[in-house]
Amino acid sequence: MKTILVPYDFSKEADYAFEFASEMAKRTKNLLKLFHVIELPTPQSFSSMGEAGAFSNESNQIFMIELVEKRKNQMAEFEAKYKNQGFSFETKLVFGNPFAGISKEIVDAKADIVIMGSKGSSGLEEVLIGSNTEKVVRNATCPVLTIKSKISPNDIHKVVFASDFNEVPSDVINRLKTTISTINAELHLVKINTPSIFENTRTSIQKIQSFVDDFEIDAASMEVYNSSSEEDGILEYAEDINADMIAMATHGRTGFLHLLSGSIAEDVVNAAKRPVWTMKAKK
């Protein structure tokens, strides 16, 4: 784990993610990069009261000049505070679309993991717009760890990896093993059985055992868990064993296919109270 990227929007969730990432960086002794995107106003910009066109061009320009100066000063304060904390630290400020900016920076910085805050969303909001976190989870080329509340790597002792254990990509498992090793946690493996996708326990356990053998996994437990849906089962199992983090692969579906099939990983990221580690399985 050479580079940890933290997309930062100055929210409390972003603070939680940055604090977690800084503790990770102290362990790895590698680069932590704090990344902020200033979204440029558009003709469709709304005021805080939801009124379109509330700002004139002139007031927009003044607002943006002041915002840019404020963000530059804030990033400089971060650099001064974290320059001698036992790890390499950089900040970067760009303009544009947050998701596009984050996606480009993941590639440019050769990020090994993205750690970012998430407020979560559900229902109509999730279907219509989603969140930048959701989009990053769906499309990132490296693991993404989403954080919703204040937590330290020292607090993570149990990690649940949920899968169907059918052809799990080796790059996903290798990255997961690196994360598990860095935070020094134990790994619990679970296959969720649902009425619509049922598999007998013997077959499931055999698949999990083959997975353990193939990837030389040191698993603390292997379980088959029954629930009404995969998302509910993952969340319920994590709660039942008092897990501190959930991990899973995502297939990165987009567009119409995503609307039809949904994404279990994204649903779990939205609904989970615990940190969730995800990585897109390459096609």
Side-chain angles (χ1 to χ4, degrees), residues 13 16 116-121 145-151 156 231 234-236 238-239 242-246 265-277:
E13 290 82 8
Y16 299 147
M116 63 190 301
S118 172
K119 292 182 174 66
S121 61
L145 177 58
T146 55
I147 305 283
K148 291 183 181 176
S149 58
K150 187 176 181 62
I151 189 169
I156 297 178
E231 174 199 339
I234 293 166
L235 297 171
E236 290 162 0
E239 185 174 341
N242 197 27
D244 306 298
M245 181 185 291
I246 296 169
E266 290 168 47
D267 290 343
V268 171
V269 167
N270 275 320
K273 297 177 182 178
R274 297 164 172 78
V276 181
W277 182 102

Side-chain angles (χ1 to χ4, degrees), residues 65-102:
I65 291 170
E66 292 177 347
L67 177 62
V68 170
E69 191 62 28
K70 178 181 179 180
R71 295 303 189 221
K72 284 182 177 179
N73 290 335
Q74 288 172 316
M75 298 300 257
E77 288 172 4
F78 272 112
E79 289 180 1
K81 182 177 180 179
Y82 288 93
K83 66 179 180 180
N84 294 312
Q85 295 292 325
F87 56 88
S88 300
F89 181 68
E90 295 178 2
T91 66
K92 186 174 181 179
L93 188 152
V94 302
F95 300 90
N97 172 271
F99 167 65
I102 294 167

Side-chain angles (χ1 to χ4, degrees), residues 208-247:
I208 299 173
Q209 187 60 59
S210 294
F211 168 83
V212 167
D213 295 340
D214 290 345
F215 291 106
E216 299 179 343
I217 300 291
D218 182 16
S221 68
M222 300 182 293
E223 296 287 342
V224 178
Y225 191 90
N226 299 322
S227 188
S228 57
S229 72
E230 290 174 274
E231 174 199 339
D232 289 343
I234 293 166
L235 297 171
E236 290 162 0
Y237 179 71
E239 185 174 341
D240 286 352
I241 71 165
N242 197 27
D244 306 298
M245 181 185 291
I246 296 169

Side-chain angles (χ1 to χ4, degrees), residues 36-53:
H36 178 66
V37 181
I38 295 180
E39 194 166 7
L40 296 173
T42 68
Q44 289 76 38
S45 293
F46 286 79
S47 73
S48 60
M49 299 300 290
E51 299 167 341

Side-chain angles (χ1 to χ4, degrees), residues 1 20 24 27-28 112-115 143-145 153 156 159 172-187 245-247 276-279:
M1 193 180 295
F20 187 97
M24 290 274 282
R27 297 185 182 195
T28 61
D112 294 293
I113 189 169
V114 172
I115 301 179
V144 179
L145 177 58
I156 297 178
V159 177
V172 172
I173 302 309
N174 290 334
R175 296 289 190 102
L176 176 60
K177 288 171 72 174
T178 298
T179 303
I180 296 292
S181 174
T182 302
I183 60 180
N184 194 29
E186 60 184 30
L187 187 61
M245 181 185 291
I246 296 169
V276 181
W277 182 102
T278 58
M279 183 174 173

